[in-house]
Structure formats: structure tokens, C-alpha cells
Amino acid sequence: MEVSQERKTIAEVLIADSANNINTDNPDQIFITGNNPNNYIWYSGKLWRAVSIDTSDNSVKLVTQWNISTISYDDNSSAFEGSNMEMWLNDTTVDGFLGNLRNPDKFIKMDNKWNASMMTDTSKPPSESEGGIIVEDSVGLLNVYEYNMSGARDGYLNNSLYWWTITANNSSANYIVNYDGSIGTSGVTNAYGIRPVVNLKPDIKIVAGDGTEDSPYRLMGDNDNNLSGTKLNTRYSGEYISFGTGENNLYRIVSHETDGLTKITSAEPLKENGNYKFIAFGGSTQYYSSNNMIGSFLNGEYLDSGYYLTSEQENMIEDNTTWYLGTVRNGSSYRLAKYTDANMSALTSNTTNAKVGLLRLGELMAGQCDRKASFWLLTNNGAYVKYLDIHSGIYDAYPQTLYSIKPTLNLKSNVIITSGDGTLQNPFEIELAS
């Protein structure tokens, strides 16, 4: 159903589509159910699924299709309020999720209420009047009841990855969705995937798309056209870029961590002749540098061989980026990967400079966008180095272990877009402006 001609609200379109199974048993939320309904939405560089419609105002709850990052829920408590998870989701700086969304005050409800009640089962959580734990935030997570109402392991929310729900099981454990789609529990110090959840304002209109994966709904105000000549550093985390060569020709925007620059990472781990390239992090060191094993490859063969990049693309890369090498113990705040403490009082002094590096723990795009291959992160845990496994859990490994790699780098401030709209189907083509 193409809707570019008649601009209807998201709720109107979702309910009217006969391909969507609509569950109205809950008077507060109309749930979309089924294995693959037409509820894909593209917003702010990310693919989302519409989960439910709030009957009080017709706002629409969205969850990202894939895990955006992976962190521990907290260091000791399963409560959402005050947790590392709440902090990451609602962080308005470049280091968190909310700060990288496009015009969130125009698109999403900033004062949404999230039911984070502790439960020993997966039934409907108690409302605020019934003593439920309600937290007001712009961004949250799905509760375990919402996952079940959407079809659980047989529904569209099962993405074959580990991810956190907002629902606490006891004071130190939360419900998670396992990679097989079943519901489990985990201690809060373990690191699993994050699927951020927002509520789109009820008056947001759809201007294009049919709600399928290949043609997701596009929102008025987020459906840019004619971007030729636009600087890449004005675009949004998650958008796709044609960069690299052959089987390694797709990258995504991570953030604009350094003023004027655009940090990007490969959409998938590197391949070589059809197979993922595996490499040891370092012979005996857990610290990244341009001289250790993985850093030597990324700042040598990756740049210069002509197999992974063209010479024109290499010239787009900023020559000297600072990479943060903070130590994050299991359960500690993700912010320690970059800062000296969870309050971000100062940047860590443990850094290295190189042209190409890796994603660190807790960074945007440091999740799994599909089940591809386990890959190294920049962050260590003492003598070990952290890696993200194929199901979006973070674990520790000796630096001699072999895992795949996702090159991460900053593009120069004068890189411009020549065509494309930043979606998977139509990634940005770019060039270095004179």
C-alpha cells in the first residue's frame, strides 16, 4: 500500500492494512501481531517496527528492528530508573542514543511513561494505580508483556539475538529475550543487546513506503530528497554509505564524535573472497594501537592494498583520530570505555592515535544488525579484550584469539553526498569536495 499520495497518520495506516493482525484485547494498547506484518518504519537512520498504538492519544510505539548496541543493564540493580541502561538510552550527548536521534522533540513523545514493574511472571504488569513502577523518560525498552502480546518467539520481534527488556524479575536480574526467541532472565551485570523504544507523536504522517522491509514507511520531515552537495557530517547515525570495494562496499554512520567529522563503521565484518576475515587482536596486549596485530592490519593492508578501499576513499579518511581505550569490568558503566568515571568528569588518558580503529563498548552500531560473525571491540577488561558474539552478547577473550573485524574511521569534514537517501536500498554515494 503506497501512501505517498494521501498522507495519513501512522496509526491510521497500520490499522487499515489488512495484512496486519490487530489485537484489541488490551483497552490501553492496540497490538500489531504476526510473523511479518507491514509495520517497518524508517526514522533517523534506523529501521523500526511498530509494536502498538496507545488508545489514549493514538501515539505509536516503535522498537528498532536490530540491536543498536550492547551493554550491561546496570552494576547492581534491576531497577530501570537510575540504571546504566536508562542513562544510555536517554543520554543527549554524542555518547548515547537520544542525542543521536533526528529532532526527537518533533517526532517522539519526550515525556512517555514506561512500565518497569518487577514481576515474577510474564503477565500484564500492574498499572500506576495498581502500584506498578512507572518511569517517565523519552526512550525506554519493551516490557516482557509487550513482547508476548506481539507474538513472542513466533512473532516479528524475534530477531534471533539476545536483548534486554525493561522488566525486572528480582532485585538483580531482568528478563531478556534469548536468541531463539524464548524469554529468560539474566543478572544485570551481563552485557546483552539494546533495542531502543520510542513513542511517535500521533500527528506524524506517512509520506511514502508500504511498510515492508524493502519499502518501509517514511515519515514526513524525515524523508529527504535531493541531498546532492549536502555535507555528510549533517546526517544521522545508522544511515548507509557506499564506501569500500567489492564485497566490503557498505558502511554506516556511527556518530559525529569529533566536531565536523563523521565516524563510520563497516555494515558487516570484513570479508575476503567470500569469507569473514579473522585476526588476532594482539600477540600479548589488550590495548589497541596502529602497531599491534589488528591495528597494523587496519592501518596498513586495509588502507593500502587496494582490496578494501580505493585511493579516493582512503583520501576521504581523517589522518589522525583519537581512540579511547578505557577498561570496563563486567557490570561497570559503559562510559568507562571513554571516560574516567560514569559522570563523564574527564576523558580517559588511555588513548592511542591512528587513522583506523574499532568500535568501543556501548558505542552506537556496536550491536548486531544481523547474525554475521563475532567481532572485536576496542575495549578491554583487564588482561582480556571484549568482543561481540553473533547473538549480540559481549564476552572477554585473550588477545591471541581470532575474531572478525569492523573497521571504524572518521571521514573528513568536506566529504559531501552526491546521491542516495541513506537507506539500505539507496545508500549515500559520497565524494571529497574540493
Side-chain angles (χ1 to χ4, degrees):
M1 179 177 57
E2 187 65 40
V3 297
S4 58
Q5 296 299 321
E6 51 177 331
R7 297 176 176 180
K8 297 181 178 180
T9 66
I10 306 167
E12 289 174 328
V13 172
L14 291 169
I15 292 175
D17 193 332
S18 59
N20 294 340
N21 295 317
I22 303 297
N23 185 323
T24 59
D25 291 345
N26 186 327
D28 302 317
Q29 288 176 279
I30 298 172
F31 283 94
I32 298 169
T33 68
N35 181 261
N36 194 29
N38 294 337
N39 63 345
Y40 287 94
I41 294 174
W42 181 263
Y43 160 58
S44 192
K46 285 161 281 293
L47 191 63
W48 306 72
R49 305 301 290 269
V51 175
S52 63
I53 298 159
D54 188 327
T55 58
S56 69
D57 63 359
N58 280 339
S59 59
V60 177
K61 181 167 289 187
L62 304 185
V63 61
T64 57
Q65 168 69 6
W66 300 111
N67 299 357
I68 302 300
S69 193
T70 300
I71 64 170
S72 301
Y73 195 90
D74 197 50
D75 54 1
N76 56 38
S77 173
S78 61
F80 182 66
E81 189 167 20
S83 66
N84 292 334
M85 183 63 67
E86 182 195 33
M87 185 184 302
W88 186 91
L89 290 166
N90 293 279
D91 188 341
T92 57
T93 73
V94 72
D95 299 301
F97 185 75
L98 183 58
N100 287 277
L101 279 185
R102 179 175 190 169
N103 299 329
D105 57 324
K106 294 182 180 180
F107 286 95
I108 70 173
K109 292 170 63 175
M110 303 296 284
D111 58 351
N112 200 69
K113 293 184 176 181
W114 305 92
N115 196 317
S117 301
M118 185 182 298
M119 301 173 63
T120 57
D121 59 33
T122 59
S123 60
K124 183 181 178 182
S127 66
E128 189 170 11
S129 62
E130 295 168 331
I133 299 173
I134 309 299
V135 180
E136 187 174 300
D137 271 317
S138 299
V139 189
L141 300 173
L142 290 180
N143 62 52
V144 70
Y145 167 76
E146 291 170 321
Y147 175 68
N148 279 333
M149 288 296 290
S150 300
R153 68 191 305 168
D154 296 321
Y156 63 90
L157 290 179
N158 178 6
N159 66 2
S160 299
L161 301 173
Y162 285 115
W163 46 279
W164 290 106
T165 76
I166 202 172
T167 307
N169 174 256
N170 58 55
S171 62
S172 60
N174 282 63
Y175 287 99
I176 63 169
V177 176
N178 295 311
Y179 69 87
D180 64 357
S182 64
I183 295 171
T185 59
S186 171
V188 295
T189 60
N190 294 322
Y192 293 120
I194 313 172
R195 294 178 72 178
V197 180
V198 300
N199 281 270
L200 282 178
K201 291 182 175 181
D203 58 347
I204 301 296
K205 301 271 196 313
I206 293 174
V207 295
D210 61 11
T212 61
E213 184 173 9
D214 291 335
S215 182
Y217 291 129
R218 302 301 306 271
L219 307 180
M220 183 181 295
D222 188 56
N223 186 33
D224 299 322
N225 297 300
N226 302 319
L227 289 169
S228 179
T230 303
K231 286 192 171 183
L232 189 65
N233 61 19
T234 65
R235 300 306 301 175
Y236 302 96
S237 176
E239 290 185 308
Y240 289 89
I241 304 165
S242 289
F243 192 80
T245 63
E247 59 191 344
N248 299 293
N249 66 349
L250 193 64
Y251 281 65
R252 300 187 78 178
I253 295 175
V254 177
S255 66
H256 304 289
E257 184 173 51
T258 304
D259 188 39
L261 305 183
T262 303
K263 181 180 279 191
I264 67 172
T265 190
S266 57
E268 295 184 14
L270 281 189
K271 287 184 177 180
E272 200 170 81
N273 298 319
N275 298 310
Y276 290 109
K277 182 175 180 63
F278 292 90
I279 191 170
F281 189 89
S284 59
T285 180
Q286 70 274 39
Y287 295 109
Y288 181 85
S289 74
S290 60
N291 298 316
N292 78 333
M293 284 187 179
I294 197 169
S296 178
F297 166 78
L298 286 172
N299 290 277
E301 181 181 342
Y302 168 75
L303 289 174
D304 303 329
S305 66
Y307 184 83
Y308 300 101
L309 301 174
T310 66
S311 58
E312 290 81 6
Q313 290 167 344
E314 183 182 351
N315 288 335
M316 296 182 196
I317 304 172
E318 185 72 15
D319 289 327
N320 196 21
T321 289
T322 298
W323 303 95
Y324 301 99
L325 310 179
T327 298
V328 181
R329 307 290 182 181
N330 292 342
S332 297
S333 171
Y334 66 93
R335 287 180 168 176
L336 297 179
K338 182 178 177 181
Y339 297 94
T340 57
D341 56 50
N343 295 320
M344 303 190 296
S345 301
L347 292 167
T348 179
S349 60
N350 196 355
T351 62
T352 191
N353 291 332
K355 193 166 184 173
V356 186
L358 302 168
L359 294 169
R360 62 179 178 271
L361 181 146
E363 198 161 13
L364 294 166
M365 301 297 112
Q368 281 283 12
C369 290
D370 205 341
R371 301 176 309 283
K372 299 299 183 183
S374 301
F375 59 86
W376 287 113
L377 297 175
L378 200 64
T379 307
N380 71 82
N381 178 12
Y384 304 96
V385 184
K386 294 189 178 293
Y387 71 95
L388 190 82
D389 90 326
I390 60 172
H391 297 304
S392 201
I394 286 183
Y395 305 99
D396 300 325
Y398 288 112
Q400 301 94 331
T401 314
L402 300 178
Y403 288 115
S404 63
I405 46 179
K406 289 186 67 174
T408 305
L409 46 97
N410 273 303
L411 295 183
K412 294 175 180 178
S413 60
N414 59 333
V415 171
I416 62 171
I417 297 166
T418 59
S419 64
D421 63 7
T423 61
L424 175 62
Q425 295 77 20
N426 190 20
F428 291 135
E429 300 287 343
I430 58 175
E431 68 179 18
L432 195 63
S434 57

